[in-house]
Amino acid sequence: MVFQCQRDSWARQFTTRVVSCRAAELRPEGGGEPVCGFQVVLEDTILFPEGGGQPDDRGLIGDVPVLRVTRRGAEAVHFVPAALEPGAEVLLSLDWERRFDHMQQHSGQHLISAIAEQMFGFKTTSWELGRQRSVIELDTPLVTAEQVEALEKSVNEKIRDRVPVTVRELAADDPEIETVRSRGLPDDHVGPVRVVDIKGIDSNLCCGTHVSNLSDLQVIKLLGVEKGKKNKTNLVFLAGNRVLKSIEQSHNTEKALTSLLKNGPGEHVEAVKRLQSSVKLLQKNNLNLLRDIAVLIARDFKSKTAPKQLFVLHRKEGDSEFMNIIANEIGTEETLLFLTVGDEKEAGLFLLAGPVEAVENLGPRVAELLGGKGAGKRSRFQGKATKMSRRGEVQALLQEFVSHQNPGA
């Protein structure tokens, strides 16, 4: 199971022949409806099928895009949207930007894992090459900040030393395999075994694509550690062009913050802290004002000589506490209250308060009309609404209920 992509990780185009083509479906990685297409097997391929923690390649067969590449025993299966003629000679073209990124991250993982074990005895139990960042799972419950710093310094020294990276093939029964670092071979592995050597640093069984010299990695940045599975620690890293992209993103963010905050990068943190303090104070003052408004609204309603048996109020600004203050001040023994806060035509909060029997009867119906969910306890039923534009229908329902309860009202 050695493909041309593994013999020459740098090849960007390759001519081969179609061995087979059959109809199939592909389930998108993000979920959704299956995509109809064809599974194509070629005599050989420069498109790497996923494996060893490394995602698959993308590219073209002629002008037909390859949407997925997977391994099936000794074969690489290419999923394409259009049929290809068995026996036809075809030109493969590789998505080089994606491939080189994977090469940098994968070789970077080998280097980090080897140095982490040499320096601290931390063995790698698994790793993930993610779209934004990569993660190495280390067999240790704790990695200190000092160890991360020392590890990052060491791996970047090896990059500057321009250490060669070579790939060799061994027979599956070669005794030398026992001396090579490995997490085991797949159960369906067939053919020779590939060993990736970082000269004087590491030898590792691996099916993935790699750089030919550590200098191709450019630089490695260890972003820190995160708690992993039981007694494990996840080490997060970027290698090569991902480091440059991260710096560019950080620089753009820094420029935007400098423009917004009207100060230099060194003052950004303190400026944001001051803004947070101001926002908290404003929010506190706003809540106090809303409480005062709620009390005034309730008192105005109670001051009327003949208070209505139904009280309806909507306010864009407010929260559950605002509505409950009004209900507490007015009282729910005789008056039915329908209160809402939020956008008039979109989502918001609602409260139905009043006599227990009325609330228990009407609460679920109000929630249904407003396209929301709620819960109630005795004289209160409140929840979230997604269709605030239907408040008028709720008001009509409540008015009808009150009229039937009190025909002479």
Side-chain angles (χ1 to χ4, degrees), residues 99-280:
R99 157 67 72 76
F100 187 56
D101 173 55
H102 291 173
M103 288 165 62
Q104 288 187 317
Q105 308 317 308
H106 202 161
S107 297
Q109 177 266 315
H110 278 223
L111 177 61
I112 296 167
S113 292
I115 300 300
E117 187 168 347
Q118 290 173 15
M119 293 181 70
F120 308 114
F122 300 154
K123 293 185 179 297
T124 292
T125 49
S126 68
W127 87 290
E128 178 188 7
L129 198 168
R131 293 184 179 181
Q132 304 296 328
R133 61 181 199 163
S134 297
V135 178
I136 298 172
E137 183 185 74
L138 298 174
D139 191 16
T140 177
L142 178 67
V143 178
T144 66
E146 291 75 19
Q147 289 172 324
V148 171
E149 183 180 356
L151 179 58
E152 180 179 275
K153 180 180 178 182
S154 180
V155 297
N156 282 292
E157 285 174 351
K158 302 300 182 185
I159 291 172
R160 290 191 294 273
D161 288 343
R162 299 179 58 82
V163 178
V165 179
T166 56
V167 177
R168 53 198 171 100
E169 297 177 10
L170 299 177
D173 58 353
D174 192 318
E176 187 180 348
I177 292 177
E178 299 299 322
T179 67
V180 177
R181 187 164 62 89
S182 170
R183 296 197 302 275
L185 292 169
D187 294 336
D188 61 349
H189 176 84
V190 293
V193 175
R194 293 176 77 244
V195 178
V196 177
D197 293 313
I198 304 177
K199 187 177 180 181
I201 297 174
D202 185 47
S203 291
N204 194 354
L205 296 187
C206 183
C207 66
T209 57
H210 290 272
V211 300
S212 55
N213 192 290
L214 289 187
S215 62
D216 296 323
L217 298 182
Q218 300 168 288
V219 65
I220 285 176
K221 178 60 186 175
L222 303 184
L223 298 179
V225 295
E226 299 173 350
K227 185 176 177 60
K229 299 174 185 176
K230 186 176 182 182
N231 294 323
K232 311 283 187 183
T233 299
N234 293 333
L235 178 64
V236 185
F237 76 94
L238 304 174
N241 289 332
R242 291 194 181 192
V243 178
L244 301 180
K245 289 179 180 178
S246 177
I247 292 172
E248 182 180 10
Q249 290 172 354
S250 296
H251 182 60
N252 289 337
T253 300
E254 188 177 89
K255 287 196 299 183
L257 286 172
T258 297
S259 176
L260 289 169
L261 300 173
K262 308 300 181 186
N263 58 16
E267 300 171 296
H268 286 173
V269 173
E270 288 304 315
V272 171
K273 286 181 178 178
R274 289 195 297 271
L275 285 172
Q276 286 179 325
S277 296
S278 298
V279 169
K280 287 179 181 178

Side-chain angles (χ1 to χ4, degrees), residues 24-40:
E25 289 186 340
L26 174 69
R27 292 198 173 276
E29 293 179 347
E33 292 298 316
V35 177
C36 293
F38 300 85
Q39 289 183 342
V40 173

